[in-house]
Structure formats: structure tokens, C-alpha cells
């Protein structure tokens, strides 16, 4: 009798959502997208939304900020349980110890909050949130490991390196890029996938929430999904066995940056804090 094959992949949907300045409208659209995904693609295991998509975009962040867990966490947890799906609802303004952070939370299909991540690199000087300091990686049903970063974080290779060091094979990046450097950000996303030999899902908003251009990229930098400036839902299969294969045999069958980084002991003075 042959052994039952262990599942090594899952199906992901990335929602390039039209975002308004009204929280109630944004929350309504988020659930409309979840309903649509359930009706058209019931095989989807995880849904990702853009950065801050459940906020009153462009208004006072102090009015939007709340504790985690809090009222919004309860809403998201209810959706995850109702639709029996993993949800990364972009990010929210989190109030903690008189600080406000830009924070992503992760909900399992049972409605459990499995963790949260605070944006480490707010986009200065525009973004006034406090900086997070800790990477976050979680396991999806024992199939594979997923790391989270938010928008501008991807411009800093050390953030991705932290996640990969903790075992990430997929990096999810809720994003709200409204500026002309989105094309550069797309290239950085591809480069991150290549150098870290992992999948990257960069989910940007449209309308008040961004210029679109969301991407899903595989461990060799191949763009599996790419869209322009309109609202859409991207879908793709995340194959964790493929990550393991590419890390073993190399990008394009030749280059193994993760292996070479770990085996070649180096000390970089740029990491030494200046007094």
C-alpha cells in the first residue's frame, strides 16, 4: 500500500482592493471580496489584503488606532471562521503603551489570531507610526512557513533575511504604495524572491490605497501574477516543495545564494552600530 502524500502547497488570493477614505465602506468591500472568492474559488486557502485597507484612509490615525486584540480583530476573526480561510487583512493602526504601530494580524480558519507583526520601517517623514522591531513567521498547517513584512520593509534586505533565517518560504507584503516608485518596488520584490529563494506576494491597493501593480513571484523571480491600476483578485498556487527544490538545486539550476550565505562566514561593518 502506497503512503498517503502529504500536501505541500496551498492556494492564495491577493486582493488588489479599491480603497476609500471611509472605514465602513472599506470593511464592506473586504467582506464582499471574501464572499466572491468563496463563490468563485472555494479552493482558496488564504486571502491577503492591502496595507491599512480597513482604516479611514488619509484621516487622523489616532482616531483609527485600537488595541490588538480589539473590535477589528473580532471582525476579522469572525470572517476567517465564517469562510473557513486564512486571512491577512492588510494592516491596522495598533494602539499599545501610548504608541501607534502599523500592524498586520494573521487569522487562521478557526478564527484564532496566530500572531501579529509591526512594520519595522515606516516611510519617513510621511508615516508617523512607531517602528516595530521583531520579525514574525508562522506555519500554515505544517505545510510551509510564512513571513510577514509591510510595504516599505521590502526595501531593506535585512528584513527579508530575518524572516528567511526563521524559516520563511513565502513572504507576504501588504502594501499601500501611492507614489511613482511602485515600479522600483516591483523590481525589489523580484530581487527579494530571487536572493531569498522564496515566494513573494506583494498586495497593493488602488484608489486612495495605492497605484496597484500587485505581484505574486516565485522563488526564481518569475512573476506569476501582475496587474495594473484597477481592482482585481490575483490567485496562485504556493508550492513549498518547489521552494525546497530551488534552494537545493539553485536559481536557474545553478545559483544557491542562501546556501552560500550560510557557509561563507562574513562580518559586515555596516551592521555595527556607530556610537
Amino acid at each position: 500500500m502506497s503512503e498517503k502524500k502529504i500536501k505541500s502547497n496551498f492556494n492564495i488570493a491577493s486582493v488588489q482592493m479599491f480603497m476609500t477614505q471611509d472605514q465602513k465602506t472599506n470593511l464592506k468591500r473586504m467582506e464582499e471580496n471574501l464572499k466572491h472568492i468563496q463563490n468563485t474559488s472555494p479552493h482558496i486557502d488564504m486571502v491577503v489584503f492591502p496595507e491599512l485597507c480597513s482604516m479611514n484612509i488619509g484621516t487622523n490615525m489616532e482616531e483609527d488606532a485600537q488595541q490588538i486584540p480589539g473590535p477589528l480583530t473580532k471582525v476579522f476573526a469572525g470572517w476567517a471562521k465564517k469562510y473557513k480561510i486564512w486571512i491577512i487583512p492588510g494592516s491596522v493602526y495598533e494602539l499599545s503603551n501610548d504608541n501607534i504601530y502599523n500592524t498586520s494580524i494573521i487569522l487562521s480558519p478557526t478564527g484564532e489570531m496566530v500572531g501579529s507583526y509591526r512594520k519595522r520601517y515606516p516611510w519617513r517623514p510621511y508615516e508617523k507610526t512607531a517602528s516595530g522591531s521583531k520579525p514574525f513567521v508562522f506555519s500554515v498547517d505544517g505545510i510551509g512557513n510564512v513571513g510577514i513584512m509591510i510595504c516599505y520593509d521590502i526595501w531593506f534586505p535585512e528584513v527579508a533575511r530575518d524572516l528567511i533565517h526563521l524559516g520563511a518560504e513565502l513572504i507576504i507584503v501588504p502594501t499601500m504604495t501611492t507614489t511613482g516608485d511602485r515600479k522600483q518596488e516591483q523590481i525589489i520584490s523580484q530581487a527579494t524572491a530571487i536572493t531569498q529563494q522564496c515566494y513573494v506576494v506583494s498586495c497593493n491597493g488602488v484608489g486612495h490605497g495605492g497605484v496597484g501593480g500587485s505581484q505574486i513571484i516565485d522563488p526564481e523571480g518569475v512573476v506569476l501574477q501582475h496587474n495594473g491600476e484597477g481592482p482585481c483578485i490575483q490567485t496562485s498556487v504556493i508550492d513549498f516543495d518547489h521552494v525546497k527544490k530551488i534552494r537545493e538545486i539553485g536559481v536557474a539550476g545553478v545559483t544557491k545564494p542562501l546556501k552560500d550565505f550560510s557557509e561563507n562566514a562574513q562580518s559586515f561593518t555596516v551592521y555595527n552600530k556607530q556610537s
Side-chain angles (χ1 to χ4, degrees), residues 169-223:
E169 298 153 300
L170 160 65
I171 296 176
I172 292 176
V173 196
T175 299
M176 190 177 73
T177 298
T178 61
T179 48
D181 56 354
R182 179 59 183 164
K183 289 188 180 297
Q184 285 80 6
E185 197 165 72
Q186 290 171 330
I187 295 170
I188 293 168
S189 298
Q190 277 185 272
T192 299
I194 295 167
T195 57
Q196 307 304 327
Q197 297 179 279
C198 67
Y199 286 93
V200 171
V201 175
S202 176
C203 180
N204 199 24
V206 293
H208 286 277
V211 295
S214 298
Q215 293 180 308
I216 300 177
I217 308 163
D218 88 350
E220 292 185 283
V222 177
V223 178

Side-chain angles (χ1 to χ4, degrees), residues 11 223 254 256 262:
N11 304 295
V223 178
V254 292
K256 307 173 184 177
S262 64

Side-chain angles (χ1 to χ4, degrees), residues 18-259:
F18 188 93
M19 295 156 60
T20 74
Q21 292 182 295
D22 178 66
Q23 184 178 55
K24 289 183 179 179
T25 300
N26 291 334
L27 288 169
K28 180 181 177 182
R29 286 184 173 165
M30 289 177 76
E31 187 169 18
E32 286 173 348
N33 276 290
L34 289 171
K35 290 178 181 177
H36 179 72
I37 290 168
Q38 184 183 61
N39 290 334
T40 61
S41 307
H43 59 285
I44 293 296
D45 301 301
M46 176 180 286
V47 180
V48 180
F49 288 93
E51 178 185 16
L52 298 175
C53 67
S54 62
M55 300 287 96
N56 294 290
I57 304 299
T59 58
N60 193 325
M61 70 178 185
E62 283 81 6
E63 296 178 3
D64 278 352
Q66 59 181 252
Q67 292 183 335
I68 295 176
L72 272 179
T73 312
K74 187 175 181 179
V75 171
F76 301 146
W79 289 348
K81 190 173 183 179
K82 177 180 179 180
Y83 298 104
K84 298 180 175 60
I85 202 166
W86 287 89
I87 298 178
I88 299 177
S91 65
V92 301
Y93 288 126
E94 176 196 7
L95 179 63
S96 177
N97 296 324
D98 296 325
N99 287 317
I100 296 177
Y101 298 94
N102 185 343
T103 303
S104 284
I105 59 177
I106 298 89
L107 291 308
S108 78
T110 63
E112 175 192 3
M113 190 183 88
V114 300
S116 63
Y117 166 77
R118 292 170 173 169
K119 187 174 185 177
R120 299 177 74 173
Y121 281 94
W123 189 54
R124 306 298 189 205
Y126 176 72
E127 293 182 14
K128 308 302 182 183
T129 51
S131 297
S133 60
K134 296 180 181 179
F136 181 70
V137 174
F138 64 99
S139 174
V140 176
D141 300 329
I143 299 170
N145 298 317
V146 182
I148 306 291
M149 61 172 72
I150 301 174
C151 199
Y152 195 40
D153 285 337
I154 203 166
W155 288 69
F156 301 89
E158 297 81 5
V159 179
R161 182 71 72 186
D162 250 0
L163 297 175
I164 299 303
H165 179 70
L166 293 174
E169 298 153 300
L170 160 65
I171 296 176
I172 292 176
V173 196
T175 299
M176 190 177 73
T177 298
T178 61
T179 48
D181 56 354
R182 179 59 183 164
K183 289 188 180 297
Q184 285 80 6
E185 197 165 72
Q186 290 171 330
I187 295 170
I188 293 168
S189 298
Q190 277 185 272
T192 299
I194 295 167
T195 57
Q196 307 304 327
Q197 297 179 279
C198 67
Y199 286 93
V200 171
V201 175
S202 176
C203 180
N204 199 24
V206 293
H208 286 277
V211 295
S214 298
Q215 293 180 308
I216 300 177
I217 308 163
D218 88 350
E220 292 185 283
V222 177
V223 178
L224 304 175
Q225 291 280 341
H226 174 87
N227 286 88
E229 298 179 2
C232 66
I233 298 174
Q234 298 181 341
T235 58
S236 189
V237 177
I238 305 299
D239 185 349
F240 292 103
D241 274 353
H242 184 57
V243 177
K244 294 176 176 62
K245 178 178 68 176
I246 295 304
R247 290 179 176 180
E248 179 181 348
I249 67 175
V251 174
V254 292
T255 304
K256 307 173 184 177
L258 289 186
K259 181 176 182 291

